Amino acid sequence: MDTATAYKDFTDRLKLLTSKHPALITTTLSNIFTMRLIGNKTHGDLAEIAIAEFINQYMYDFRSVHVGKDLYRAKSQEEDIKIINEMTRAEFPVSLKAYGDGPLQLSTDKAASMFPRLRREGTEISGTAKLKAIFDYPAFQAFTNINVLPLIYDEKAQRCNILVFDHMRARDATARIAFESPGRGRKHPVYRFFDAEGAYICEVRYGDAAANALQRGLWTHTKNGLKYFDSITGGWIDYSHNKVLVALFSHALVSSSSGHTSALEKIKEDIALLKERAGLKQ
């Protein structure tokens, strides 16, 4: 089983689980986004640990391993967690993204090769043969190998959504790629991908060596490109801040490991109760 198929099987199973037991994912996402009360960036790192544990606790045919930041520079792919299908033994990397409802980075394009490749084609690219050549070019392999699991949140409305970009549908639907100069708050130019109806799909940002990670790579927009996303949670779900969790963290940071052990046992009991209520096997 190839990586794309293995990942699609995983997201289908995750979608089925959340549809049957919405309380489990709502509780987990509420806890993740509560971390923004501690710091604006805290939730992103803790989301990796939380989703890895969610998979291990509730998705019995899958096992997840958190890759960890120590391996960041040595990683061959942009993964945060590794998932193993216990039935097929397929292994595949997943990159977790906890973003607001707006621009979403799909690939950092570390080699800075996507934008220059498009630049050689001019400012307007269309035609089946030309577009196929673009997507077949090595720099665009990220387009067909995107294992990004985006946790999207709307903080003002306190709602969230797990939106997965359907890269194959996006690739098949691309009818035109157009260059757009800097402007409207953009410091650098972009190439935007559109379907036959003129609807936005995604974009490749400026890729010069001087550009930082936020100024290059493959991006999309969760509002503008919504038709090319699949919602794992079946749409937006409301979440609430768990201030008890914040208190737990603050107390845990000034307590000993024996106290942590006692608290962990209580938490494990609670997880077992959640599984029992959901009718999930132990």
Side-chain angles (χ1 to χ4, degrees):
M1 184 182 292
D2 61 74
T3 297
T5 303
Y7 180 62
K8 181 66 166 60
D9 178 53
F10 164 73
T11 55
D12 287 346
R13 298 286 294 280
L14 178 59
K15 186 173 184 177
L16 180 62
L17 175 66
T18 59
S19 68
K20 287 185 174 180
H21 308 291
L24 296 178
I25 193 65
T26 300
T27 296
T28 301
L29 292 175
S30 292
N31 290 336
I32 288 171
F33 293 119
T34 289
M35 294 298 95
R36 286 184 61 78
L37 297 177
I38 297 176
N40 286 342
K41 302 294 184 182
T42 308
H43 68 291
D45 290 334
L46 292 180
E48 298 170 16
I49 301 172
I51 295 301
E53 189 62 28
F54 182 90
I55 293 166
N56 289 332
Q57 291 291 344
Y58 302 124
M59 299 183 72
Y60 294 102
D61 290 343
F62 294 89
R63 178 166 55 88
S64 178
V65 179
H66 181 229
V67 173
K69 296 302 179 185
D70 289 344
L71 299 177
Y72 178 77
R73 287 180 175 83
K75 289 190 292 187
S76 60
Q77 302 182 64
E78 297 173 35
E79 75 267 29
D80 296 311
I81 61 177
K82 179 175 70 174
I83 298 176
I84 301 97
N85 186 319
E86 298 281 40
M87 303 298 290
T88 66
R89 310 312 301 170
E91 296 186 11
F92 50 95
V94 172
S95 175
L96 265 292
K97 303 283 187 183
Y99 275 51
D101 187 22
L104 173 68
Q105 189 173 40
L106 297 172
S107 172
T108 57
D109 187 23
K110 292 179 182 178
S113 55
M114 299 177 83
F115 190 92
R117 176 67 181 85
L118 293 172
R119 203 75 182 100
R120 292 203 298 271
E121 296 293 332
T123 58
E124 189 80 15
I125 307 166
S126 60
T128 303
K130 251 187 184 179
L131 292 171
K132 183 180 184 303
I134 290 291
F135 286 122
D136 286 344
Y137 191 72
F140 283 83
Q141 288 305 302
F143 216 104
T144 54
N145 192 28
I146 299 172
N147 294 345
V148 177
L149 191 66
L151 313 183
I152 305 301
Y153 64 94
D154 179 346
E155 197 159 45
K156 184 177 290 186
Q158 282 199 261
R159 61 180 189 166
C160 53
N161 204 338
I162 301 180
L163 289 168
V164 175
F165 186 67
D166 190 334
H167 55 89
M168 290 307 297
R169 193 191 331 156
R171 172 176 172 154
D172 292 344
T174 299
R176 183 173 70 95
I177 304 173
F179 175 86
E180 295 192 15
S181 301
R184 297 182 181 178
R186 289 194 322 276
K187 183 180 179 181
H188 298 292
V190 298
Y191 271 93
R192 291 208 163 116
F193 293 57
F194 300 93
D195 63 21
E197 298 174 353
Y200 170 92
I201 299 175
C202 61
E203 64 190 56
V204 169
R205 294 188 176 182
Y206 178 71
D208 188 88
N212 63 39
L214 298 179
Q215 295 169 335
R216 68 167 179 259
L218 183 62
W219 289 71
T220 187
H221 196 293
T222 50
K223 288 182 179 178
N224 300 341
L226 193 58
K227 66 189 285 190
Y228 294 100
F229 284 92
D230 181 29
S231 175
I232 299 299
T233 49
W236 290 97
I237 56 176
D238 295 329
Y239 71 87
S240 57
H241 286 141
N242 181 1
K243 294 185 178 179
V244 175
L245 180 60
V246 178
L248 176 64
F249 263 95
S250 63
H251 284 69
L253 291 171
V254 296
S255 60
S256 68
S257 60
S258 62
H260 299 160
T261 299
S262 298
L264 182 58
E265 289 306 313
K266 287 292 184 182
I267 289 172
K268 286 181 177 178
E269 290 175 12
D270 183 68
I271 292 173
L273 184 60
L274 291 175
K275 291 179 181 176
E276 184 181 339
R277 289 174 178 169
L280 297 174
K281 64 181 181 180
Q282 295 294 315

Coordinates of all heavy atoms in Angstrom, one line a residue, residues 164-223:
V164 N -8.9 18.4 5.7 CA -7.8 17.7 5.0 C -7.9 18.2 3.5 O -8.9 18.0 2.9 CB -7.9 16.2 5.1 CG1 -6.8 15.5 4.2 CG2 -7.7 15.7 6.5
F165 N -6.8 18.7 3.0 CA -6.7 19.1 1.6 C -6.7 17.9 0.7 O -5.8 17.0 0.8 CB -5.4 20.0 1.4 CG -5.3 20.6 0.1 CD1 -6.2 21.6 -0.3 CD2 -4.3 20.2 -0.8 CE1 -6.1 22.2 -1.6 CE2 -4.2 20.8 -2.1 CZ -5.1 21.8 -2.4
D166 N -7.6 17.9 -0.2 CA -7.7 16.8 -1.2 C -6.8 17.1 -2.4 O -7.2 17.7 -3.4 CB -9.2 16.6 -1.6 CG -9.4 15.3 -2.4 OD1 -8.4 14.8 -3.1 OD2 -10.5 14.8 -2.4
H167 N -5.5 16.7 -2.3 CA -4.6 17.1 -3.3 C -4.8 16.5 -4.6 O -4.5 17.1 -5.7 CB -3.1 16.7 -2.8 CG -3.0 15.3 -2.4 ND1 -2.6 14.3 -3.3 CD2 -3.1 14.7 -1.2 CE1 -2.5 13.2 -2.7 NE2 -2.8 13.3 -1.4
M168 N -5.4 15.3 -4.7 CA -5.6 14.6 -6.0 C -6.8 15.4 -6.7 O -6.7 15.6 -7.9 CB -5.9 13.2 -5.8 CG -4.7 12.3 -5.4 SD -3.3 12.5 -6.5 CE -3.9 11.9 -8.0
R169 N -7.8 15.7 -6.0 CA -8.9 16.5 -6.6 C -8.4 17.9 -7.0 O -8.8 18.3 -8.1 CB -10.0 16.7 -5.6 CG -11.3 17.2 -6.2 CD -12.4 17.6 -5.2 NE -12.4 16.9 -4.0 CZ -12.9 17.4 -2.9 NH1 -13.4 18.6 -2.8 NH2 -12.8 16.7 -1.7
A170 N -7.5 18.5 -6.2 CA -7.0 19.8 -6.6 C -6.1 19.7 -7.8 O -6.2 20.5 -8.7 CB -6.1 20.3 -5.4
R171 N -5.3 18.7 -7.9 CA -4.4 18.5 -9.1 C -5.3 18.3 -10.4 O -5.1 18.9 -11.4 CB -3.5 17.3 -8.9 CG -2.7 16.9 -10.1 CD -1.7 15.8 -9.9 NE -1.1 15.4 -11.2 CZ 0.1 14.8 -11.3 NH1 0.8 14.6 -10.2 NH2 0.5 14.4 -12.5
D172 N -6.3 17.4 -10.3 CA -7.1 17.1 -11.4 C -8.0 18.3 -11.9 O -8.3 18.4 -13.0 CB -8.1 15.9 -11.1 CG -7.3 14.6 -10.9 OD1 -6.2 14.5 -11.3 OD2 -7.9 13.7 -10.3
A173 N -8.3 19.1 -10.9 CA -9.2 20.3 -11.2 C -8.4 21.5 -11.7 O -9.0 22.4 -12.3 CB -10.0 20.6 -10.0
T174 N -7.1 21.5 -11.5 CA -6.3 22.7 -11.9 C -6.4 22.9 -13.4 O -6.1 22.1 -14.2 CB -4.8 22.6 -11.5 OG1 -4.8 22.5 -10.1 CG2 -4.0 23.8 -12.0
A175 N -6.9 24.1 -13.8 CA -7.1 24.5 -15.2 C -6.1 25.6 -15.6 O -5.9 25.8 -16.8 CB -8.5 24.8 -15.5
R176 N -5.7 26.4 -14.7 CA -4.8 27.5 -15.0 C -4.0 27.9 -13.8 O -4.4 27.8 -12.6 CB -5.7 28.7 -15.3 CG -5.0 30.0 -15.7 CD -6.0 31.0 -16.2 NE -6.8 31.5 -15.1 CZ -6.6 32.7 -14.4 NH1 -5.5 33.4 -14.7 NH2 -7.4 33.1 -13.5
I177 N -2.7 28.3 -14.0 CA -1.8 28.8 -13.0 C -1.4 30.2 -13.4 O -0.9 30.3 -14.5 CB -0.6 27.8 -12.8 CG1 -1.0 26.4 -12.5 CG2 0.3 28.4 -11.7 CD1 0.1 25.4 -12.5
A178 N -1.6 31.1 -12.5 CA -1.4 32.5 -12.9 C -0.4 33.2 -11.9 O -0.5 33.1 -10.7 CB -2.7 33.3 -13.0
F179 N 0.5 34.0 -12.5 CA 1.4 34.8 -11.7 C 0.7 36.0 -11.2 O 0.0 36.7 -11.9 CB 2.6 35.2 -12.6 CG 3.6 36.1 -11.9 CD1 4.6 35.6 -11.1 CD2 3.6 37.5 -12.1 CE1 5.6 36.4 -10.5 CE2 4.5 38.3 -11.5 CZ 5.5 37.8 -10.7
E180 N 1.0 36.4 -9.9 CA 0.4 37.6 -9.4 C 1.5 38.4 -8.7 O 2.2 37.8 -7.8 CB -0.7 37.3 -8.4 CG -1.9 36.7 -9.1 CD -3.2 36.7 -8.3 OE1 -3.2 37.4 -7.2 OE2 -4.1 35.9 -8.6
S181 N 1.7 39.7 -9.0 CA 2.7 40.5 -8.5 C 2.4 40.8 -7.0 O 1.3 40.7 -6.5 CB 2.8 41.8 -9.3 OG 3.1 41.5 -10.7
P182 N 3.5 41.4 -6.3 CA 3.2 41.8 -4.9 C 2.2 42.8 -4.8 O 1.9 43.6 -5.8 CB 4.6 42.3 -4.5 CG 5.6 41.7 -5.4 CD 4.8 41.5 -6.7
G183 N 1.5 42.9 -3.7 CA 0.4 43.8 -3.5 C -0.6 43.3 -2.6 O -0.6 42.1 -2.2
R184 N -1.6 44.1 -2.1 CA -2.6 43.7 -1.2 C -2.0 43.1 0.1 O -2.5 42.1 0.5 CB -3.6 42.8 -1.8 CG -4.4 43.4 -3.0 CD -5.4 42.4 -3.6 NE -6.1 43.0 -4.7 CZ -7.0 42.4 -5.4 NH1 -7.3 41.1 -5.1 NH2 -7.6 42.9 -6.4
G185 N -0.9 43.7 0.6 CA -0.3 43.2 1.8 C 0.8 42.2 1.6 O 1.4 41.7 2.5
R186 N 0.9 41.7 0.3 CA 2.0 40.7 0.0 C 3.3 41.4 -0.4 O 3.3 42.3 -1.3 CB 1.5 39.8 -1.2 CG 0.4 38.8 -0.9 CD 0.4 37.8 -2.0 NE 0.6 38.3 -3.3 CZ -0.3 38.9 -4.1 NH1 -1.6 39.0 -3.6 NH2 0.0 39.3 -5.2
K187 N 4.4 40.9 0.2 CA 5.7 41.5 -0.1 C 6.3 40.8 -1.3 O 7.1 41.4 -2.0 CB 6.6 41.3 1.2 CG 8.0 41.9 1.0 CD 8.8 41.6 2.3 CE 10.2 42.2 2.1 NZ 11.0 42.0 3.3
H188 N 5.9 39.6 -1.5 CA 6.5 38.8 -2.6 C 5.4 38.3 -3.6 O 4.2 38.2 -3.2 CB 7.2 37.6 -2.1 CG 8.4 37.9 -1.2 ND1 9.5 38.6 -1.7 CD2 8.5 37.8 0.1 CE1 10.3 38.7 -0.7 NE2 9.8 38.3 0.5
P189 N 5.8 38.0 -4.8 CA 4.8 37.5 -5.8 C 4.4 36.1 -5.5 O 5.0 35.4 -4.7 CB 5.5 37.6 -7.1 CG 7.0 37.4 -6.7 CD 7.1 38.1 -5.4
V190 N 3.3 35.6 -6.1 CA 2.8 34.2 -5.9 C 2.3 33.7 -7.3 O 2.0 34.5 -8.2 CB 1.6 34.1 -4.9 CG1 2.1 34.6 -3.5 CG2 0.4 34.9 -5.4
Y191 N 2.2 32.4 -7.4 CA 1.5 31.7 -8.5 C 0.3 31.1 -7.9 O 0.4 30.3 -7.0 CB 2.4 30.7 -9.2 CG 3.3 31.2 -10.3 CD1 4.6 31.6 -10.0 CD2 2.8 31.3 -11.6 CE1 5.4 32.0 -11.0 CE2 3.6 31.7 -12.6 CZ 4.9 32.1 -12.3 OH 5.7 32.6 -13.3
R192 N -0.9 31.5 -8.4 CA -2.1 30.9 -7.9 C -2.7 29.9 -8.9 O -2.7 30.1 -10.1 CB -3.1 32.1 -7.7 CG -2.7 32.9 -6.5 CD -3.9 33.6 -5.8 NE -3.5 34.0 -4.4 CZ -3.4 35.3 -4.1 NH1 -3.8 36.3 -4.9 NH2 -3.1 35.6 -2.8
F193 N -3.3 28.8 -8.3 CA -3.9 27.8 -9.1 C -5.4 27.9 -9.1 O -6.0 28.1 -8.0 CB -3.5 26.4 -8.5 CG -2.1 26.0 -8.6 CD1 -1.1 26.8 -8.1 CD2 -1.7 24.8 -9.2 CE1 0.3 26.5 -8.1 CE2 -0.3 24.5 -9.3 CZ 0.6 25.3 -8.8
F194 N -6.0 27.8 -10.2 CA -7.5 28.0 -10.4 C -8.1 26.8 -11.1 O -7.4 26.2 -12.0 CB -7.8 29.3 -11.1 CG -7.3 30.5 -10.5 CD1 -6.1 31.1 -10.8 CD2 -8.0 31.2 -9.5 CE1 -5.6 32.2 -10.2 CE2 -7.5 32.3 -8.9 CZ -6.3 32.9 -9.2
D195 N -9.4 26.5 -10.8 CA -10.0 25.5 -11.6 C -10.7 26.1 -12.8 O -10.6 27.3 -13.0 CB -11.0 24.7 -10.7 CG -12.1 25.6 -10.1 OD1 -12.4 26.6 -10.7 OD2 -12.8 25.2 -9.1
A196 N -11.5 25.2 -13.5 CA -12.1 25.7 -14.8 C -13.2 26.7 -14.6 O -13.5 27.5 -15.5 CB -12.7 24.5 -15.5
E197 N -13.7 26.8 -13.3 CA -14.7 27.8 -13.0 C -14.1 29.1 -12.4 O -14.8 30.0 -12.1 CB -15.7 27.3 -12.0 CG -16.5 26.1 -12.6 CD -17.4 25.4 -11.5 OE1 -17.3 25.8 -10.3 OE2 -18.2 24.5 -11.9
G198 N -12.7 29.1 -12.4 CA -12.1 30.3 -11.9 C -11.9 30.3 -10.4 O -11.5 31.3 -9.8
A199 N -12.3 29.3 -9.7 CA -12.2 29.2 -8.2 C -10.8 28.9 -7.8 O -10.1 28.1 -8.4 CB -13.2 28.1 -7.7
Y200 N -10.4 29.6 -6.7 CA -9.1 29.4 -6.1 C -8.9 28.0 -5.6 O -9.8 27.5 -4.9 CB -8.9 30.5 -5.0 CG -7.7 30.3 -4.2 CD1 -6.5 30.9 -4.5 CD2 -7.7 29.5 -3.0 CE1 -5.3 30.8 -3.7 CE2 -6.6 29.4 -2.2 CZ -5.4 30.0 -2.6 OH -4.3 29.9 -1.8
I201 N -7.7 27.4 -5.8 CA -7.4 26.1 -5.3 C -6.2 26.2 -4.3 O -6.4 25.8 -3.1 CB -7.0 25.2 -6.4 CG1 -8.1 24.9 -7.4 CG2 -6.5 23.8 -5.8 CD1 -7.8 24.1 -8.6
C202 N -5.1 26.8 -4.7 CA -3.9 26.9 -3.8 C -2.9 27.9 -4.5 O -3.2 28.5 -5.5 CB -3.3 25.5 -3.6 SG -2.7 24.7 -5.2
E203 N -1.7 28.0 -3.9 CA -0.7 28.9 -4.5 C 0.7 28.4 -4.1 O 0.9 27.7 -3.1 CB -1.0 30.3 -4.0 CG -0.8 30.5 -2.5 CD -1.3 31.9 -2.0 OE1 -2.5 32.2 -2.3 OE2 -0.5 32.6 -1.4
V204 N 1.6 28.8 -4.9 CA 3.0 28.7 -4.6 C 3.6 30.0 -4.4 O 3.5 30.9 -5.2 CB 3.8 28.0 -5.8 CG1 5.3 28.0 -5.6 CG2 3.3 26.5 -5.9
R205 N 4.2 30.2 -3.2 CA 4.8 31.5 -2.9 C 6.2 31.6 -3.3 O 6.9 30.6 -3.6 CB 4.6 31.7 -1.3 CG 3.2 31.8 -0.9 CD 3.1 32.2 0.6 NE 1.7 32.4 0.9 CZ 1.3 32.8 2.1 NH1 2.2 33.0 3.1 NH2 0.0 33.0 2.4
Y206 N 6.7 32.8 -3.3 CA 8.0 33.2 -3.8 C 9.1 32.3 -3.2 O 9.0 32.0 -2.0 CB 8.3 34.6 -3.3 CG 9.7 35.2 -3.6 CD1 10.0 35.5 -4.9 CD2 10.6 35.4 -2.6 CE1 11.3 36.0 -5.2 CE2 11.8 35.9 -2.8 CZ 12.2 36.2 -4.1 OH 13.4 36.7 -4.4
G207 N 10.0 31.7 -4.0 CA 10.9 30.7 -3.5 C 12.3 31.0 -3.5 O 13.2 30.1 -3.6
D208 N 12.7 32.3 -3.6 CA 14.1 32.6 -3.6 C 14.8 32.2 -2.3 O 14.2 32.0 -1.3 CB 14.3 34.1 -3.8 CG 15.7 34.5 -4.0 OD1 16.2 34.5 -5.1 OD2 16.4 34.8 -3.0
A209 N 16.1 32.0 -2.3 CA 16.9 31.5 -1.1 C 16.7 32.5 0.0 O 16.9 32.1 1.2 CB 18.3 31.3 -1.5
A210 N 16.5 33.8 -0.3 CA 16.4 34.8 0.7 C 15.0 34.8 1.4 O 14.8 35.4 2.5 CB 16.6 36.2 0.1
A211 N 14.1 34.1 0.8 CA 12.7 34.0 1.4 C 12.7 33.1 2.6 O 13.4 32.1 2.6 CB 11.7 33.5 0.4
N212 N 11.9 33.4 3.6 CA 11.8 32.5 4.8 C 10.7 31.5 4.6 O 10.1 31.5 3.5 CB 11.6 33.3 6.1 CG 10.3 34.1 6.1 OD1 9.3 33.6 5.6 ND2 10.3 35.3 6.6
A213 N 10.5 30.6 5.5 CA 9.6 29.5 5.4 C 8.2 29.9 5.1 O 7.4 29.3 4.5 CB 9.6 28.5 6.6
L214 N 7.8 31.1 5.7 CA 6.4 31.6 5.5 C 6.3 32.4 4.2 O 5.2 32.7 3.8 CB 6.1 32.6 6.6 CG 6.1 31.9 8.0 CD1 5.7 33.0 9.1 CD2 5.1 30.8 8.1
Q215 N 7.4 32.6 3.4 CA 7.3 33.3 2.2 C 7.5 32.4 1.0 O 7.6 32.8 -0.2 CB 8.4 34.4 2.2 CG 8.1 35.5 3.2 CD 9.3 36.4 3.4 OE1 10.4 36.0 3.1 NE2 9.0 37.6 3.8
R216 N 7.6 31.1 1.2 CA 7.7 30.2 0.1 C 7.0 28.9 0.3 O 6.4 28.6 1.4 CB 9.2 29.9 -0.2 CG 9.9 29.1 0.9 CD 11.3 28.6 0.4 NE 11.9 27.8 1.5 CZ 12.9 28.3 2.2 NH1 13.3 29.5 2.0 NH2 13.5 27.5 3.1
G217 N 6.9 28.0 -0.7 CA 6.3 26.7 -0.5 C 4.9 26.7 -1.1 O 4.4 27.7 -1.7
L218 N 4.2 25.6 -0.8 CA 2.8 25.4 -1.3 C 1.8 25.7 -0.2 O 1.9 25.2 0.9 CB 2.7 23.9 -1.7 CG 1.3 23.5 -2.3 CD1 1.1 24.2 -3.6 CD2 1.3 22.0 -2.5
W219 N 0.9 26.6 -0.5 CA -0.1 27.1 0.4 C -1.5 27.0 -0.1 O -1.6 26.9 -1.4 CB 0.2 28.6 0.8 CG 1.4 28.9 1.6 CD1 2.7 28.8 1.2 CD2 1.4 29.3 3.0 NE1 3.5 29.1 2.2 CE2 2.8 29.4 3.3 CE3 0.4 29.6 3.9 CZ2 3.1 29.8 4.6 CZ3 0.8 30.0 5.2 CH2 2.1 30.1 5.5
T220 N -2.4 27.0 0.7 CA -3.8 27.1 0.3 C -4.5 28.0 1.3 O -3.9 28.6 2.1 CB -4.5 25.8 0.2 OG1 -5.8 26.0 -0.4 CG2 -4.7 25.0 1.5
H221 N -5.8 28.1 1.2 CA -6.6 29.0 2.1 C -7.9 28.3 2.5 O -8.7 27.9 1.6 CB -6.9 30.3 1.4 CG -7.3 31.4 2.3 ND1 -8.5 31.4 3.0 CD2 -6.7 32.6 2.7 CE1 -8.6 32.5 3.7 NE2 -7.5 33.2 3.5
T222 N -8.1 28.0 3.8 CA -9.2 27.2 4.2 C -10.6 27.9 3.9 O -11.6 27.1 3.7 CB -9.1 26.9 5.7 OG1 -8.9 28.1 6.4 CG2 -8.0 25.9 5.9
K223 N -10.6 29.2 3.7 CA -11.9 29.8 3.4 C -12.1 29.9 1.9 O -13.1 29.5 1.3 CB -11.9 31.3 3.9 CG -12.1 31.4 5.4 CD -12.1 32.8 5.9 CE -12.3 33.0 7.4 NZ -12.3 34.4 7.8

